Amino acid sequence: MEEEEYQKMIKRCVRCSVCKWIPQVQIKSQKYASGCPAIDIYNFHPYSGGGKIIIALAYEMGRIKPTEELRDIVYKCTACGNCAVACKYMNTLEPLEIIMKLREKLVNTGCGPMPQQQAYIEAVKKVNNPYNEPHEKRTDWIPDDVTLDPNAKILYFVGCTSSYRRKEMAIATARIMNEAGVSFNILQNDEFCCGSPILRIGDTTTFEEILNKNLDIIESRGIETVVFSCAGCYDTFKVDYPLSRKFDFEVKHTVELFDELIESEQLKLTDNVPIIVTYHDPCHLGRNAERYEDWDGDVVPLMPLVSINIPPKPKRTGSKGIYDAPRKILKKIPGLKLLEMERIQEYAYCCGAGAGVKSAFPEMALKTANMRIEEAEDSGADFLVSACPFCSTNLQDGINDKKSKLKYFDISEILLMALGLEPEKLKQATAEVL
Amino acid sequence: MLKEEILKEFQKIVGDENIDDGEVTTNTYAYNWCVEFVNYLANKDPIPFSSIPKAIILPSTTEEVQKIVQLCNKYDIQFKAQSTGLGPWNQPSTDNCVILDLRRMNKIVKIDVKNLYVVVEPYVSGAQIQVEVMKFGLNIHMPGAGPMASALASHTSMCGPGFTSPQTGHSARNVLGTEWVLPTGKILRLGSLGLKKESDWYSGDGPGPSLRGIMRGWVGTKSGLGVFTRVAMKLFPYPCNTKYIAKGHSPLYDFHLPDFIRAYLLDCRNFKHLEKSLLRIEEEEIAFICSHMSSFAVMAIFSYSLESLMDKIAIGSMKKPLVIVIAARTKREFDYKQKVMNLIMDELNLTNIIGSKYEPKSLFYAECLRANLGYHGFIATGGFQSAKGQCDTAALCLNTERKNIPLKQKYIEKGVIANDFGEGAWMTSYESGHYFHMEVPTLFDQTNAESVKGIAEYMEESNQMDLVKHLGTPFFIEGDELHDEWGPHLMNYHIWLRKIKETFDPNGISDPGFYISSKKGDV
């Protein structure tokens, strides 16, 4: 968000509190009416999207100083974007972008980010991943039976979390592509952090360096399509990179690719997977994965105080997230039954891990995960499925903490079962149901 | 900030994590919608920040509220309670005030299907109640502020007209048993809740003590007379089947229309024709929604962006529009209501524009049922406020609207409020036309100092006009100055109001900024 727009927009919150809820016409129960983890946990208004717009204004007016109090409130937010969806149902404010800009300002003054977040920035600078793992171990996840093609035009960008923490996702993704006969390669030791965790906490300078490094490498290899199993990497490449630098290659999340492969029958779902699942929409694959559309129109004064955009300026409402592809995949799996939670798609409740919360405020991340797990339990499903390694980690932490009977799988693992490539895993899964 | 020893006492009541006197939190609570022109009218800097509260406290029970109020009395600190918190009425009027944010009091206590009422705590929104009572085929009244607003706040402390008022009435009329923490810290239970034996929530006015007039009167005390911690509200039959499904994606959700619902958009020739039409339609008791508004406002309620508002010229040139929604639970009921509407339209020479010149999106019906139409007022400039408002006969409401047009046009010509041709008004009947509500939504730009000044001056002049031309009492007569001005013209009501304030709040602890202060000795 440009500074001029920011300065105008922070004066416009009407303090209606819609940002605390999911869109009003989507409320189905008292229990699952809210949409913002931060306000649900901390209760004071400044934790809401609207509250942070007021903070931004108060900060610009010099009413509040860059203190630890300010920093803690601004960073206790998963940047899930529910506030933006709820607000933009009718309004034109951008609460999430204002939060991001506010974080950027706090970083620039030295007030932000949180110390734990600063530590992972340093780790990325040093070893190219926020987990501070040795760079040379980035490819350790690759099993012997996976085939890579050095000449492939499709690149699988594995991401830090799948490389180091959620290796099962990376393995499943590679095996499925092999099964479908998709020729792909990975960057091996030339793959670095996408910059998402750094961008979300407001260090835009470091982020710019990272995106340029990544784009230089990918473009130098003549890649036509980059595939991501990590929703965070996908969102960052798809939505955030083009704001700084355009590129020609196509970006796809694995759920999009797998859906296409099933449609074209390159993947044949042969095995019965008789389980009842519910699907969690990751924020970075759903509402936040909507690209900014170029707009080169005019702001035309219509009458005093009222101007309109000609042509209409596209509004990011979360409606163009990736919602259908994962559901189509799940519905095509023989024997599998999909039950929806109350809050889905652009008004899905966050898993609680994003935007540096998992590292700086693990208790907030866990509480949020627990709330989402409860909603998944209430859906009647036995399995919780998603498509993001960050969601995977946090939701599994929630399942363990809550001692839930739910089992978590990434959608790629479920797909492996349906392809008959993971008979042992399927056996475990179905045993739980029975 | 609070003194350390006082802060510790509050912490003992609610726990450390539920009180905050930090700079960031208190400043955030100092902000609200329309505070800029409230400040301007009070000769203060026209910024959207009020006095900064000393601390924000989050009680979770009536007992905690009671203890907080007692402590406020002990240390002579004023308090202001709020729930969902929309509008300047939630703001402290002095620097010696704590805010009780009732967000943690968020339970639906009881749904009594047989006796048609629901008991709730402050931080339960209208939409939350509606979706729960819909499971029993029932509905709740929601105010124009919308489904995200606290139902308790509207029912106990604020004005409370809504789009569905023809069927669901007015918040003031729907209050039943009430639990009230008085400014002294005592708990008063009103209506049947106050019975010594077999107390329950089913009635607000007896058996048991009825103090509804004192508790809220017509427009509410805006936390100027204590804190309401639980309230029972009337429930109504849901107007159609309760299958409420909105598919697709935001904002243009595809709403699956209930079997029996229909909208009418009628254009009356003039105010006389409009009055006759309103009364005639309401006489038949068939409307779920029966609202008159300007053609500009009609365009707004069918729009989801400013740009889409401007392509509705087909309905933008209407003279005196009337929006009617009828809904039914059976085909027989629906046929009857449609037949009556057809007869009335024939009788009054009215044509339904919907179906011929315009077809609303299905989402319009979803918003009608969820009472979300008022929010469309923000589309054009991002800011609006109703410059006046009254509750009276249809004739007086329309006379006020008519006489207000040239005044509003004067400010439009100055360029300080947006141009709705001076005709911007919203009027609805209550309880099938027993009486009516009218207000004048006015579009301004809160970021433009001249516009802020303009709407403030327009509101002042509008109030003066009501006084001079005997057009009834506006609903935003709040605070000492305005009560003192209006009281002598209206049977010196302000003296009685002060007497109430003094009796119930002898220490002046419940912030009187949007109510009245006792001014001890003057009474």
Side-chain angles (χ1 to χ4, degrees):
Chain A
M1 175 178 274
E2 298 297 326
E3 183 67 21
E4 189 184 348
E5 192 182 8
Y6 176 80
Q7 292 294 342
K8 281 185 187 166
M9 210 175 265
I10 58 177
K11 296 174 184 164
R12 290 199 170 275
C13 177
V14 293
R15 216 251 182 238
C16 63
S17 286
V18 294
C19 55
K20 295 169 183 168
W21 311 99
I22 61 172
Q24 296 297 309
V25 297
Q26 288 298 354
I27 292 174
K28 299 171 187 73
S29 72
Q30 186 202 11
K31 187 175 182 182
Y32 297 120
S34 66
C36 169
I39 191 73
D40 285 349
I41 291 169
Y42 298 108
N43 287 309
F44 291 101
H45 187 66
Y47 290 92
S48 66
K52 292 196 177 72
I53 296 177
I54 300 170
I55 290 174
L57 177 62
Y59 183 64
E60 292 297 322
M61 289 173 74
R63 296 174 66 93
I64 55 177
K65 309 279 180 305
T67 56
E68 280 188 19
E69 181 201 1
L70 174 61
R71 184 195 65 187
D72 286 6
I73 292 173
V74 172
Y75 283 94
K76 279 178 178 170
C77 164
T78 60
C80 73
N82 172 80
C83 54
V85 169
C87 184
K88 286 187 285 186
Y89 171 76
M90 197 81 77
N91 276 326
T92 51
L93 297 185
E94 296 282 359
L96 178 59
E97 290 187 36
I98 289 171
I99 293 166
M100 290 297 108
K101 188 84 178 170
L102 182 56
R103 288 185 174 187
E104 184 184 342
K105 283 172 181 266
L106 294 189
V107 168
N108 291 341
T109 58
C111 178
M114 301 300 297
Q116 301 89 333
Q117 296 162 345
Q118 186 58 46
Y120 73 61
I121 293 176
E122 299 308 323
V124 170
K125 285 178 178 173
K126 199 172 101 196
V127 288
N128 305 310
N129 72 82
Y131 301 108
N132 208 18
E133 296 285 354
H135 183 66
E136 59 274 17
K137 292 197 169 183
R138 194 173 184 96
T139 52
D140 280 6
W141 64 270
I142 306 173
D144 295 339
D145 58 348
V146 162
T147 308
L148 302 174
D149 176 2
N151 299 315
K153 297 294 177 189
I154 294 177
L155 172 75
Y156 172 35
F157 191 95
V158 187
C160 305
T161 310
S162 298
S163 295
Y164 294 108
R165 295 288 182 270
R166 298 261 66 89
K167 294 177 184 175
E168 70 276 11
M169 288 179 63
I171 294 166
T173 300
R175 286 199 169 131
I176 292 167
M177 286 201 280
N178 277 173
E179 176 71 10
V182 174
S183 176
F184 75 98
N185 199 4
I186 62 170
L187 288 172
Q188 307 270 6
N189 286 331
D190 280 342
E191 185 184 291
F192 309 114
C193 173
C194 70
S196 175
I198 289 169
L199 174 67
R200 315 289 165 210
I201 57 173
D203 185 351
T204 50
T205 308
T206 307
F207 174 71
E208 286 278 324
E209 291 166 11
I210 291 169
L211 84 87
N212 281 317
K213 188 159 82 172
N214 281 329
L215 288 179
D216 285 347
I217 291 167
I218 294 169
E219 285 176 339
S220 72
R221 300 203 177 187
I223 298 297
E224 290 172 1
T225 303
V226 182
V227 175
F228 304 86
S229 55
C230 173
C233 301
Y234 169 75
D235 177 19
T236 307
F237 268 76
K238 182 183 173 185
V239 180
D240 300 300
Y241 276 22
L243 295 177
S244 294
R245 181 171 151 183
K246 305 274 184 207
F247 52 81
D248 289 333
F249 57 82
E250 191 182 6
V251 294
K252 268 185 193 168
H253 191 273
T254 44
V255 292
E256 297 174 282
L257 176 69
F258 296 159
D259 179 45
E260 288 168 12
L261 295 172
I262 294 167
E263 281 290 319
S264 64
E265 297 187 349
Q266 281 175 267
L267 283 176
K268 291 191 172 60
L269 308 179
T270 52
D271 284 29
N272 211 34
V273 186
I275 59 176
I276 303 172
V277 308
T278 191
Y279 176 74
H280 166 79
D281 289 283
C283 307
H284 288 301
L285 184 59
R287 58 186 155 236
N288 291 338
E290 182 171 330
R291 263 200 174 125
Y292 291 87
E293 291 178 46
D294 290 335
W295 181 74
D296 191 23
D298 295 312
V299 180
V300 179
L302 192 68
M303 61 174 86
L305 310 178
V306 181
S307 299
I308 60 168
N309 299 314
I310 297 178
K313 194 174 179 179
K315 187 160 80 167
R316 286 173 80 237
T317 57
S319 62
K320 292 175 187 157
I322 309 301
Y323 306 117
D324 290 344
R327 289 174 170 81
K328 276 168 70 186
I329 293 170
L330 291 170
K331 283 175 185 171
K332 280 178 185 160
I333 291 176
L336 184 144
K337 186 177 177 186
L338 172 66
L339 296 175
E340 294 283 12
M341 287 185 267
E342 279 194 23
R343 294 173 292 189
I344 55 169
Q345 300 178 348
E346 74 273 12
Y347 56 96
Y349 202 67
C350 177
C351 78
V357 164
K358 184 79 176 164
S359 65
F361 307 104
E363 73 292 345
M364 177 184 174
L366 198 56
K367 277 183 186 173
T368 307
N370 284 349
M371 290 189 275
R372 189 59 166 163
I373 295 300
E374 190 164 332
E375 187 175 354
E377 289 170 338
D378 284 352
S379 75
D382 301 311
F383 289 79
L384 176 57
V385 177
S386 193
C388 169
F390 240 55
C391 296
S392 165
T393 302
N394 205 45
L395 292 171
Q396 292 194 65
D397 286 351
I399 287 169
N400 294 334
D401 184 65
K402 206 170 176 293
K403 298 184 174 53
S404 171
K405 287 181 180 168
L406 278 177
K407 289 202 99 177
Y408 181 92
F409 282 113
D410 185 76
I411 193 165
S412 56
E413 295 177 279
I414 299 279
L415 201 48
L416 276 186
M417 297 177 206
L419 293 167
L421 299 176
E422 286 276 8
E424 282 310 307
K425 196 164 268 181
L426 177 58
K427 207 169 155 189
Q428 288 168 18
T430 47
E432 283 294 319
V433 177
L434 296 170
Chain B
M1 289 179 79
L2 290 166
K3 285 182 184 167
E4 188 64 29
E5 64 270 24
I6 299 176
L7 178 67
K8 279 183 180 164
E9 288 200 51
F10 280 124
Q11 284 171 337
K12 267 187 212 164
I13 299 169
V14 293
D16 292 4
E17 69 280 17
N18 291 311
I19 180 165
D20 193 338
D21 65 347
E23 178 186 69
V24 178
T25 296
T26 53
N27 262 281
T28 307
Y29 277 87
Y31 177 99
N32 218 317
W33 173 54
C34 293
V35 169
E36 59 282 322
F37 72 73
V38 171
N39 278 339
Y40 175 78
L41 288 170
N43 295 318
K44 294 177 186 169
D45 196 8
I47 57 171
F49 290 87
S50 66
S51 299
I52 299 174
K54 279 182 168 305
I56 315 303
I57 309 173
L58 300 168
S60 65
T61 63
T62 302
E63 290 67 33
E64 287 183 5
V65 172
Q66 184 181 31
K67 285 177 186 169
I68 292 164
V69 170
Q70 286 167 345
L71 212 54
C72 286
N73 274 273
K74 180 180 169 186
Y75 290 110
D76 194 24
I77 298 169
Q78 291 185 324
F79 67 83
K80 184 91 183 173
Q82 64 169 242
S83 39
T84 41
L86 170 65
W89 314 279
N90 296 282
Q91 299 312 113
S93 64
T94 70
D95 293 332
N96 181 38
C97 189
V98 292
I99 284 181
L100 275 67
D101 182 340
L102 305 172
R103 189 181 150 79
R104 293 172 69 221
M105 300 178 73
N106 56 5
K107 295 181 199 69
I108 294 177
V109 179
K110 180 181 183 184
I111 299 172
D112 190 325
V113 176
K114 191 177 169 192
N115 294 299
L116 293 177
Y117 68 80
V118 60
V119 182
V120 296
E121 292 186 336
Y123 210 98
V124 187
S125 74
Q128 284 182 301
I129 300 172
Q130 188 189 50
V131 292
E132 295 303 329
V133 301
M134 275 169 73
K135 292 168 186 169
F136 305 99
L138 298 171
N139 199 14
I140 180 84
H141 172 73
M142 285 185 264
M148 72 292 195
S150 156
L152 177 142
S154 168
H155 280 71
T156 61
S157 308
M158 199 46 195
C159 309
F163 280 85
T164 63
S165 281
Q167 195 194 63
T168 61
H170 179 282
S171 295
R173 301 263 286 179
N174 294 336
V175 184
L176 305 172
T178 303
E179 184 179 80
W180 181 8
V181 178
L182 298 175
T184 54
K186 288 179 182 167
I187 296 174
L188 184 57
R189 293 182 175 87
L190 296 186
S192 52
L193 191 65
L195 288 174
K196 284 186 178 169
K197 286 184 183 172
E198 296 182 352
S199 66
D200 207 340
W201 298 89
Y202 55 84
S203 168
D205 297 313
S210 169
L211 293 175
R212 188 150 54 114
I214 287 174
M215 175 197 112
R216 63 149 297 140
W218 189 249
V219 294
T221 65
K222 286 111 181 172
S223 186
L225 208 57
V227 187
F228 302 99
T229 47
R230 288 183 178 195
V231 68
M233 309 160 186
K234 284 182 196 170
L235 295 175
F236 303 88
Y238 196 75
C240 50
N241 74 52
T242 54
K243 214 170 160 187
Y244 190 99
I245 301 166
K247 293 209 166 172
H249 300 290
S250 177
L252 294 176
Y253 290 112
D254 180 17
F255 183 59
H256 290 207
L257 287 185
D259 293 335
F260 308 120
I261 191 164
R262 186 174 177 187
Y264 296 78
L265 179 52
L266 311 173
D267 192 10
C268 300
R269 291 188 299 278
N270 50 42
F271 279 113
K272 208 72 204 162
H273 190 212
L274 173 62
E275 182 186 345
K276 199 171 176 184
S277 303
L278 277 165
L279 291 170
R280 190 67 193 85
I281 291 164
E282 287 299 49
E283 185 184 8
E284 297 297 340
E285 303 191 354
I286 53 172
F288 177 59
I289 288 174
C290 178
S291 284
H292 154 59
M293 55 190 85
S294 69
S295 53
F296 191 85
V298 170
M299 290 161 72
I301 64 166
F302 290 122
S303 302
Y304 295 88
S305 67
L306 181 57
E307 287 75 20
S308 68
L309 182 146
M310 299 319 298
D311 66 18
K312 293 181 175 54
I313 299 301
I315 54 174
S317 55
M318 297 172 74
K319 291 188 184 76
K320 305 290 170 215
L322 194 49
V323 178
I324 312 289
V325 175
I326 61 169
R329 295 157 80 105
T330 63
K331 186 174 183 304
R332 191 167 170 229
E333 183 191 354
F334 192 50
D335 288 346
Y336 167 76
K337 287 181 174 177
Q338 288 187 101
K339 189 175 174 184
V340 173
M341 269 306 293
N342 287 338
L343 288 170
I344 292 172
M345 287 194 297
D346 284 348
E347 179 188 323
L348 298 171
N349 197 20
L350 290 163
T351 306
N352 188 10
I353 288 168
I354 288 178
S356 55
K357 286 186 183 173
Y358 183 71
E359 197 61 55
K361 294 189 186 304
S362 62
L363 185 56
F364 167 73
Y365 296 93
E367 294 200 308
C368 287
L369 291 165
R370 191 135 292 173
N372 202 42
L373 295 176
Y375 206 71
H376 291 247
F378 289 105
I379 284 179
T381 60
F384 88 92
Q385 182 50 275
S386 282
K388 58 169 66 224
Q390 63 182 193
C391 175
D392 218 293
T393 62
L396 185 62
C397 286
L398 290 171
N399 192 28
T400 308
E401 181 186 333
R402 185 169 57 83
K403 289 198 167 134
N404 181 66
I405 292 172
L407 176 63
K408 198 173 190 185
Q409 280 170 339
K410 188 173 99 180
Y411 285 87
I412 290 168
E413 281 163 23
K414 287 183 185 178
V416 293
I417 56 177
N419 188 0
D420 59 5
F421 307 104
E423 295 177 352
W426 171 56
M427 182 170 162
T428 178
S429 81
Y430 292 128
E431 299 169 6
S432 297
H434 291 171
Y435 51 111
F436 288 80
H437 166 87
M438 193 281 292
E439 62 185 73
V440 182
T442 302
L443 308 173
F444 74 108
D445 181 351
Q446 67 267 48
T447 68
N448 178 324
E450 287 305 307
S451 184
V452 169
K453 192 177 151 190
I455 189 172
E457 289 173 355
Y458 165 54
M459 284 180 81
E460 268 194 325
E461 199 173 340
S462 171
N463 286 349
Q464 280 301 316
M465 186 179 77
D466 289 354
L467 198 58
V468 173
K469 297 191 176 178
H470 309 291
L471 296 173
T473 320
F475 59 30
F476 291 139
I477 299 300
E478 297 154 335
D480 285 329
E481 197 180 323
L482 285 174
H483 283 307
D484 286 344
E485 188 183 341
W486 279 78
H489 298 276
L490 292 165
M491 297 176 286
N492 287 322
Y493 78 86
H494 62 306
I495 294 177
W496 293 99
L497 208 57
R498 288 221 156 85
K499 197 78 180 164
I500 292 168
K501 176 70 173 168
E502 187 177 336
T503 305
F504 280 77
D505 188 9
N507 298 324
I509 293 300
S510 194
D511 189 323
F514 286 86
Y515 183 48
I516 197 167
S517 64
S518 64
K519 283 192 180 171
K520 265 184 186 173
D522 287 358
V523 177

